[in-house]
Amino acid sequence: MMPLTDAEAALLDGCCLVFGTGSRLYGCAEPGSDRDLRGIAAPTRADYLELRRPRERTVAQGADVQTWGLHHWCDMFAKGSPNAMEVALLPPSAVVRADPLGRAAMDAAHDALHAGFIPHLAHYAHNQHHMYERGDQPGKRLMHAVRVMRLAVSLASTGAAELADPDAASLLAIRRGALMAGEAEYRRLEERLAALDPSRVLPAAPPEGWDAPVKKLALDMASRSI
């Protein structure tokens, strides 16, 4: 991955984990696709003393740069947010920066992957498909509907998934106009997901206290900071 620009680095300053996401990670980027970056902001000593959370979202020109405070990310993960889930599935090539707290967050997320993500993934896919049906950027919307439905089916059937789609070429074909093939696959995936029982491969929710070691490490690191 290309080095961060000065603007991106400024927005992501103080993040314990920075990673790339979006179409470049999923394997379906076009030459002009923006770079999408995400970061988990570590709490500072001042955050603890003033009982506040770090910043949540910022956007830089030419790139989507979104940050979550660590505790907010933990809440999102527990509730099944697909965006928060990506931390559990990151390939090493997507990680721009990770300090000990960032690595602890990735490890905790990997060990706490749960079935609660699946209905949220399906909901996102359904929304993308609905926009495709309305004619709103049909190729792009249907591509993402299929991509996310593939992810949901993989999680529900095996308990694991890859963010970089193994068949990215077919996703790009949908984006470029193979709408009949994309629609047929979406319907097949939808039926398959409905027939699966995710409880066979994943717990319904993350284990109790899954994020406690991460939050303790964050507090320890903040207390040692000047």
Side-chain angles (χ1 to χ4, degrees), residues 1-2 4 12 16-27 35-39 86-98 106 162-164:
M1 180 173 290
M2 293 175 58
L4 298 177
L12 293 161
C16 61
L17 175 65
V18 176
F19 61 95
T21 184
S23 58
R24 295 185 183 277
L25 172 58
Y26 310 144
R35 175 163 71 167
D36 298 302
L37 296 166
R38 300 290 181 268
E86 291 191 347
V87 173
L89 304 175
L90 286 175
S93 60
V95 179
V96 178
R97 182 175 72 235
M106 287 190 289
E162 296 181 32
L163 294 175

Side-chain angles (χ1 to χ4, degrees), residues 7 101 154 207:
L101 180 58
S154 180

Side-chain angles (χ1 to χ4, degrees), residues 42-49 217-226:
T44 64
R45 177 183 290 185
D47 290 326
Y48 285 108
L49 292 175
L217 178 59
L219 178 58
D220 290 344
M221 291 177 65
S223 66
R224 294 195 300 266
S225 66
I226 298 175

Side-chain angles (χ1 to χ4, degrees), residues 70 94 174 184:
L70 176 71
I174 295 170

Side-chain angles (χ1 to χ4, degrees), residues 38 64 90 188 194 196:
R38 300 290 181 268
D64 183 27
L90 286 175
R188 288 195 302 269
L196 290 170

Side-chain angles (χ1 to χ4, degrees), residues 1 18 35 41 46 53 95 98 102 109 115 125 131 140 151 156 161 163 165 169 172 191 204:
M1 180 173 290
V18 176
R35 175 163 71 167
R53 290 188 173 193
V95 179
M131 286 187 278
K140 179 180 179 180
L151 192 63
L163 294 175
D165 194 287
L172 285 170
E191 292 178 5

Side-chain angles (χ1 to χ4, degrees), residues 17 23 29 34 53 59 69 85 88 106 114-115 120 124 134 136-137 139 141 183 188 190 193 199 207:
L17 175 65
S23 58
D34 286 340
R53 290 188 173 193
V59 179
M85 179 197 70
M106 287 190 289
H114 59 91
H120 291 281
Y124 178 86
R134 285 170 29 199
D136 177 4
Q137 298 180 287
R141 299 300 186 184
E183 175 69 9
R188 288 195 302 269
E190 192 176 40
L193 183 62
S199 66

